[in-house]
Amino acid sequence: MRLAVLVSGTGSILEAMLGGGLPVDLVGADRPCRGLGVAADAGIETVLVARCEWTMRGTGEDSVIDGHSAADHDSAAGGVSDLGRRRFDREGYSCELAAVLGGRGVDVVAMAGFGTVLDASFFEWGDGRYRGRVLNTHPSLLPAFPGWHAVRDALDAGAAESGCTVHVAIPEVDAGPVLAQRAVPVLAGDDETTLHERIKKAERELYPATIAAFLGEQRAGQERGGRM
Ligand code: GAR
């Protein structure tokens, strides 16, 4: 059973997975990012399926990209200049990414700070190959504070605690069966950086352990006669 991790950012959750001995076979990204370097340094195969190649000239209505303003996204993507004036072909991108992973024999996908929302065509690709086999970690105690600004939203709401959620991903964003959660306190004087780092510390323990348990269940299902 082959595991792929999807990243877009610093890859510190990926580092924790590797440090914990998770059998990561492939790391994919939607943009150049440090996470790809983390994988390459560990000798893991990497693949970049660049979302900027799946944009098309449009009406400008897609000026918000996966919850980020175009400016936010551009900076996260390393300076792509005009995404705000383009439409993103989400279905085309989702199909392509599934085909790239499927073509490399990937069975289970763990998103670790992946910055593109995948639509149903990803999960349904290849006769539903990734249905129920995509995991995500989110920096809040879902269903509280879904979306791209979960840490900021928790601070703005004056929450006394926040945390992280590991769940099975479905086409709806930050939804799907919850596998594990861990709370962390919000401390006086916290800003987005300090609170997010406290949450990530919890994610670096909880996510690898939850993925390992999930893989164990998948293997057991396979031995009982499943299709993997
Ligand atoms: C993690 O906090 C993860 O929960 C979050 O991105 C961070 C990745 O950190 N994911 C999301 O917000 C997805 N909605 P990293 O790049 O240091 O591994």
Side-chain angles (χ1 to χ4, degrees):
M1 189 177 313
R2 285 171 62 80
L3 170 68
V5 178
L6 298 180
V7 295
S8 302
T10 61
S12 73
I13 309 292
L14 169 65
E15 280 177 314
M17 292 176 184
L18 299 176
L22 263 189
V24 178
D25 296 291
L26 178 73
V27 171
D30 60 354
R31 67 200 72 177
C33 61
R34 181 178 176 272
L36 282 176
V38 168
D41 288 348
I44 294 168
E45 183 186 359
T46 62
V47 60
L48 173 63
V49 182
R51 66 171 281 154
C52 62
E53 290 175 15
W54 290 85
T55 57
M56 46 198 180
R57 293 288 172 189
T59 61
E61 67 196 55
D62 194 12
S63 60
V64 172
I65 301 169
D66 288 354
H68 296 279
S69 70
D72 279 351
H73 182 84
D74 289 351
S75 109
V80 178
S81 62
D82 63 348
L83 280 175
R85 285 179 274 115
R86 296 176 177 214
R87 286 167 57 82
F88 176 50
D89 176 6
R90 191 174 308 282
E91 183 181 354
Y93 182 86
S94 298
C95 279
E96 172 68 10
L97 182 61
V100 166
L101 300 183
R104 285 163 174 76
V106 169
D107 302 297
V108 173
V109 178
M111 295 192 280
F114 189 58
T116 295
V117 173
L118 300 172
D119 79 0
S121 54
F122 182 87
F123 299 86
E124 297 309 320
W125 183 87
D127 204 19
R129 182 182 181 102
Y130 295 121
R131 206 185 298 142
R133 296 204 177 97
V134 182
L135 305 183
N136 185 42
T137 181
H138 179 78
S140 77
L141 298 173
L142 291 171
F145 311 121
W148 291 102
H149 302 293
V151 180
R152 186 194 309 168
D153 292 346
L155 285 168
D156 289 349
E161 67 170 18
S162 189
C164 58
T165 301
V166 177
H167 65 99
V168 179
I170 59 175
E172 288 72 38
V173 178
D174 298 331
V178 170
L179 299 179
Q181 290 186 307
R182 185 172 295 177
V184 305
V186 178
L187 301 180
D190 262 344
D191 58 21
E192 210 173 326
T193 304
T194 58
L195 178 56
H196 199 173
E197 185 51 34
R198 191 174 308 116
I199 293 170
K200 283 193 192 185
K201 198 171 170 209
E203 290 184 284
R204 290 178 196 124
E205 292 177 8
L206 189 66
Y207 200 26
T210 308
I211 293 169
F214 183 85
L215 290 173
E217 285 164 18
Q218 294 285 312
R219 280 192 205 97
Q222 186 178 19
E223 280 160 22
R224 286 195 302 269
R227 67 188 169 100
M228 272 186 227

